[in-house]
Each structure stands twice: as structure tokens, then as C-alpha cells.
Amino acid sequence: MTTEYHDLIFERSQPGRTGASLPDSDVDAVDVQKKFAGHLLRDQPAELPEVDELQVVRHYTALSRKNHGIDNGFYPLGSCTMKYNPKINEDMANLDGFQFVHPYQPEETVQGSLQLMHELQEDLAEITGMDEVTLQPSAGAQGEWTGLMMVKAYHEQKGESRKKVLIPDSAHGTNPASATVAGFETVTIPSNEEGLVYVEELKKYVDDDTAALMLTNPNTLGLFEKDIVEIASIIHEAGGLLYYDGANANAILGKTTPGKMGFDIVHLNLHKTFTTPHGGGGPGAGPVGVKEKLIPYLPVPRIEKQGETYVFNSEYPQSIGRVKGYYGNFGMFVRAYTYIRTMGAEGLSEVSESAVLHANYLLKKLEPYFDVPYQQVCKHEFVISGARQKKLGVRTLDIAKRLLDFGYHPPTIYFPLNVEECMMVEPTETESKETIDAFAHVLGEIAREVEEEPEKVLEAPHTTVVGRLDEVQAARKPVLRYMSDKTQES
Ligand SMILES: *Cc1c(COP(=O)(O)O)cnc(C)c1O
């Protein structure tokens, strides 16, 4: 990456420069001084950059090029499913009828949008094996919280106040966080040496204070919990519920469903499995599906079909209420719906096959260079360990930094917590064999460097705009707003 001339100018603001010319006002001027002095008016004008349009375009274009995204490189971030977001999704979301719809419009003027949401609910119910779905939650974590609030309502309805939510040690960090926010105590369940739930151990933790078990299957190590049916019956017999973290459903689409495995509640991340943009690319969406016994507690309003008409229905007295303003992130529903309809049932089933094949292929290619803690067929992702490299003085963090030099986003590192020097890799089905081969080759090269010229890895990255950040300072004292030279001086 070269330093461009305009990177050399940090402060672009020039007093009086502007990128906009406003038409003459056609309303009477208000004397702001007189009307708001000492009340709403600032003492000083706001410190805003004064720049022309071209500077703004260059600024944002330059920023976008400093950022790594799925559209400019491989992004094998385990547990996050960074797969390609087809551009047809954007075309559909940008149709005038969807883009300019207003949440306060009367139902009869938004029948098409409601139909799309209703059909998406039905598709997701079928994909997960659930009876009903709400689209409201705007993230995976919010879906978890929504599900857990329903768990709470369900037990309370039966006159029980169960307090414990069981969560395996390999779970995603949002699971214990959501359970805590929902007012439960979390109990960590240890995995066995195969990386799976230790069934005999689990039994010791289950009692009549168990509200739910939260599980993801395949789990965060990319392994299928083969004892899931037995696990489900242990929890159900104790009167608890099973929550499925379906953020990454890439391995099960069209193959099996959480419903079949015995789960009662599922959330999905449209921004992972269903190709809606992820992170800075757009807001999330974390729909939640439930089995029949939990339907009364679903958030309202629910979108229903009455005869040939689609309606909002809030007549559910036991509902946990609204969990999001309006009806969820509608633009994401259009994208996910487009994806599901583009792929069709067979296409989605092929997604799982390819995702699993790609992960196993890459795992085999990396086996000569890295320790593989769990020697079994993986699902859509896998973990390897940099323990061998650590003995030579190079840590997984260094390997991740070195990958940046080759234009790759590193895999997830140091997660799950139960694997030493962990790297968690998810290639996804949308990558070509050539991309996967090239990535494996580069990781092999880095493993060789660790042995022969470790300083190259220890000092990485060499080609990025910035080198190693002080991550503690960046997290504790982030500089998040524009500061002109003047503000910095004062
Ligand atoms: C991403 C993820 C979540 C959380 O989803 P957000 O949309 O980031 O809140 C939960 N569980 C798993 C397994 C995930 O990968």
C-alpha cells in the first residue's frame, strides 16, 4: 500500500470552505440570538470540518480503502460467517416500494412489505423447524435476550421462578451476557476432551432451578453435538427449555433443524447466514423462532395473514412486548428474503454441503503446519492451535498480524477460550478453491517463517497503513470524534 499525496495532509478543513449551496430561504428569518440566547444556543459555533465536496469524497473513499471487507478480500473469521453479500439483495432493497415505505403508513398501503415479512417468517420457521418467528430483534445478541425473556415469561406463567441458564464453556460470549441481562444466573458447563458437551457432567448441573440450556450445534468448535437428543431430554425432563444459538446456520441449512434436535427457541443472524451486510455494512437482524408452547410470549405486533390481508396484531396479552422500534430492520428482511428465494430449498442445502466441504478441505491443508486439537470431521468451521509456534516464541496474535501483509483478514483468534493459542477458521461456501488454496499456502509460509525467520512475523504487519496498535489504549481511550487543530490545542 502506498502513501498517497493526500494522505499527507491530515487537516483538510479551511475556514469558510463549503460543499453545499443552499437555495434562498422562503420562510421568515428567525433571530436565533434573540429567541434562544442563554437557552438552546451554543456559546461557540460547532467545530465542524469545512471542506468541499471533492475533499469529502476523497476522504471517505480513502477510509473505505483502509478498511478490510468481504468485497476486497478473504475474511475467514470463525463464528462470524463473513460470506459474500450478493448484489441482487441491494437491488431489491433499493426498489422504491421498499426503500421509501414509512413505518406509520396504514396497513392497507404496505401489503407488499407485510407479505414479504410474513413469508420470510414462514421460510425461517421452516428452515429452523419452529412454529412461529418474530423478525423484530436487531442483532443476534438481542435475539438471545428476546428468547430468554420468553423463557422467563413461560416459567413465570407456570408459577415458577427458575434462575439458572446453563451454557457450555465453548459458547459465544453473547450467550452468558444475554442471560445475565435477562436476569438469570449463568452456569458454565465443561466440554469433554472431544470438544462436546459432557453429558454425564451436564446431568449434575440440571435441577428444578434450570430455566434453560443455551447451545449451538454445530458448536463453536465447529463440531456437531451428536448427543443432542439425549441432552434435550435431560433438560426437558427437568422442566427446562432449550435455546439454540443459530447465528451461524451455515452447516445445517436444508440438512437438519434445531426443531428436530429438540430445541424450543432459536435465533438466526440474517447478517451471517442469510447474506445481509455485516458490521459497518448495515444494521443487523436477529429473528427468533419458537415452538408452539412459546408462541403466546412472542413480541408484538406480530405480522399475520387474515384471509387475503396482512395485518399487525398486538392482541397477545402474554407477549413480552415490543423489543424494537417499529418492526425490525426491514431493509435486511428484503435482502434475506431475496437470498432465500434466489437459492431455493435445494440451493440452501447445497450451501451447507459446500460450507462443510470447504472447511474440511482447508483443515486438511493446514494440518501439516498447526496443531489440530479435535481430530474429527468438522462442520462449517474449525479450530487449530498455534501452540507449536508459541514454543518458538511466536504467538497466534503475531500470525494473525502477519496475515494482514498478504491481504487477508485473520481468522478469529483466542476464541473459543478452551483452546490454547486458538485460531478459528470459517472459509464459507462462497469462496473458490483457488482462494482457499492460496490462503492455506500463505499460512504454511508463515509457519515456515516462524521456524526460519521469526522476526518477520513478530514485527508484522509490514504493509498496512498503521502497524501494531496499542490495543489497550484504543479500547480504553478511543478518539471517536473529529477534532480540529484548534480543539486539540485547547
Ligand atoms: C455473532 C454471534 C452472536 C451474536 O450476534 P450479534 O449479531 O453480533 O449480536 C451470537 N452467537 C454466535 C455463535 C455468533 O457467532
Side-chain angles (χ1 to χ4, degrees):
M1 221 174 277
T2 54
T3 306
E4 284 149 44
Y5 164 68
H6 83 262
D7 276 333
L8 301 174
I9 319 168
F10 180 77
E11 180 54 65
R12 273 157 232 228
S13 184
Q14 290 297 328
R17 191 163 288 171
T18 177
S21 52
L22 299 175
D24 289 340
S25 172
D26 58 358
V27 294
D28 293 338
V30 174
D31 185 344
V32 182
Q33 282 291 356
K34 213 157 115 197
K35 199 160 179 196
F36 296 115
H39 170 43
L40 291 172
L41 199 65
R42 296 167 170 273
D43 302 336
Q44 311 261 325
E47 284 283 336
L48 296 174
E50 296 178 81
V51 285
D52 59 56
E53 184 174 322
L54 178 56
Q55 287 295 343
V56 174
V57 170
R58 287 198 179 141
H59 174 64
Y60 283 107
T61 305
L63 285 184
S64 75
R65 284 154 67 186
K66 284 175 183 158
N67 209 353
H68 188 89
I70 192 68
D71 287 353
N72 62 325
F74 187 43
Y75 207 142
L77 192 64
S79 189
C80 293
T81 313
M82 302 302 292
K83 66 185 187 185
Y84 176 59
N85 302 157
K87 299 308 165 216
I88 190 172
N89 294 355
E90 300 302 315
D91 290 347
M92 295 303 115
N94 285 329
L95 290 175
D96 286 357
F98 291 136
Q99 193 182 355
F100 298 119
V101 76
H102 192 282
Y104 283 149
Q105 269 177 245
E107 281 163 8
E108 63 271 20
T109 67
V110 290
Q111 284 295 303
S113 299
L114 293 186
Q115 180 179 357
L116 182 140
M117 289 167 78
H118 190 259
E119 288 181 10
L120 180 61
Q121 287 176 180
E122 291 192 325
D123 288 350
L124 297 178
E126 187 179 339
I127 287 169
T128 53
M130 293 290 128
D131 296 316
E132 276 286 351
V133 166
T134 173
L135 302 174
Q136 265 187 40
S138 56
Q142 204 198 0
E144 291 168 22
W145 175 81
T146 302
L148 289 161
M149 293 307 282
M150 288 191 265
V151 168
K152 201 177 210 178
Y154 169 85
H155 291 306
E156 276 170 6
Q157 185 63 28
K158 296 169 107 189
E160 295 181 5
S161 66
R162 294 177 174 238
K163 290 200 187 56
K164 288 193 208 143
V165 171
L166 314 184
I167 303 172
D169 55 5
S170 65
H172 194 271
T174 51
N175 291 187
S178 304
T180 306
V181 175
F184 291 104
E185 282 165 32
T186 64
V187 181
T188 307
I189 306 296
S191 307
N192 64 18
E193 61 284 355
E194 290 177 307
L196 304 174
V197 172
Y198 200 162
V199 180
E200 286 313 307
E201 197 66 17
L202 173 70
K203 286 181 187 160
K204 296 186 200 154
Y205 290 86
V206 181
D207 57 25
D208 56 13
D209 202 19
T210 303
L213 168 73
M214 294 182 87
L215 210 63
T216 174
N217 194 17
N219 67 22
T220 309
L221 299 165
L223 305 174
F224 193 79
E225 298 280 358
K226 57 184 171 24
D227 298 323
I228 185 59
V229 174
E230 188 185 351
I231 293 170
S233 70
I234 293 169
I235 301 295
H236 283 149
E237 272 163 32
L241 296 170
L242 272 95
Y243 184 97
Y244 185 93
D245 178 344
N248 321 108
N250 247 19
I252 60 157
L253 295 175
K255 296 295 169 196
T256 181
T257 70
K260 272 189 200 154
M261 297 178 209
F263 286 88
D264 305 294
I265 311 165
V266 186
H267 86 263
L268 296 166
N269 279 23
L270 300 188
H271 47 291
K272 288 177 183 169
T273 311
F274 297 94
T275 69
T276 72
H278 199 148
V288 175
V290 295
K291 285 271 179 72
E292 181 121 42
K293 59 184 174 232
L294 289 152
I295 292 178
Y297 312 108
L298 279 167
V300 287
R302 280 166 50 190
I303 293 145
E304 293 176 350
K305 190 175 184 186
Q306 291 176 358
E308 286 311 302
T309 313
Y310 296 92
V311 296
F312 292 119
N313 189 350
S314 293
E315 305 294 307
Y316 290 92
Q318 291 176 314
S319 162
I320 61 162
R322 216 180 237 291
V323 299
K324 168 89 175 71
Y326 307 116
Y327 319 107
N329 286 323
F330 177 70
M332 298 304 138
F333 306 156
V334 180
R335 289 170 175 86
Y337 180 87
T338 304
Y339 175 67
I340 292 170
R341 291 301 152 110
T342 311
M343 301 303 287
E346 270 175 36
L348 290 178
S349 177
E350 279 173 34
V351 162
S352 299
E353 287 163 22
S354 301
V356 172
L357 177 64
H358 289 190
N360 280 285
Y361 177 73
L362 182 55
L363 175 58
K364 279 284 165 232
K365 294 210 105 178
L366 295 178
E367 238 171 32
Y369 313 112
F370 297 94
D371 288 348
V372 179
Y374 303 104
Q375 296 278 353
Q376 23 176 316
V377 173
C378 67
K379 290 291 177 273
H380 60 297
E381 64 190 3
F382 58 87
V383 295
I384 53 176
S385 161
R388 200 185 305 175
Q389 286 71 23
K390 188 182 172 190
K391 291 201 190 88
L392 300 171
V394 178
R395 301 198 57 203
T396 286
L397 178 70
D398 305 311
I399 295 171
K401 295 290 181 194
R402 183 71 177 123
L403 275 171
L404 299 175
D405 287 335
F406 296 90
Y408 295 121
H409 194 289
T412 300
I413 58 172
Y414 299 110
F415 176 78
L417 306 172
N418 49 347
V419 174
E420 189 194 1
E421 295 296 316
C422 184
M423 276 177 263
M424 186 183 182
V425 191
E426 182 179 1
T428 84
E429 76 286 356
T430 58
E431 298 296 337
S432 68
K433 178 172 178 294
E434 293 72 28
T435 301
I436 297 174
D437 285 341
F439 178 73
H441 173 76
V442 164
L443 261 180
E445 268 301 294
I446 296 174
R448 183 194 58 75
E449 286 176 355
V450 171
E451 288 173 15
E452 294 169 14
E453 38 186 345
E455 60 296 337
K456 220 174 186 171
V457 186
L458 291 168
E459 285 159 20
H462 304 276
T463 63
T464 51
V465 184
V466 287
R468 294 215 186 183
L469 297 171
D470 181 337
E471 291 179 16
V472 176
Q473 285 293 316
R476 299 256 163 86
K477 292 191 179 163
V479 180
L480 297 175
R481 67 187 186 92
Y482 168 77
M483 281 190 282
S484 70
D485 292 347
K486 218 164 74 199
T487 346
Q488 276 164 345
E489 277 156 24
S490 61

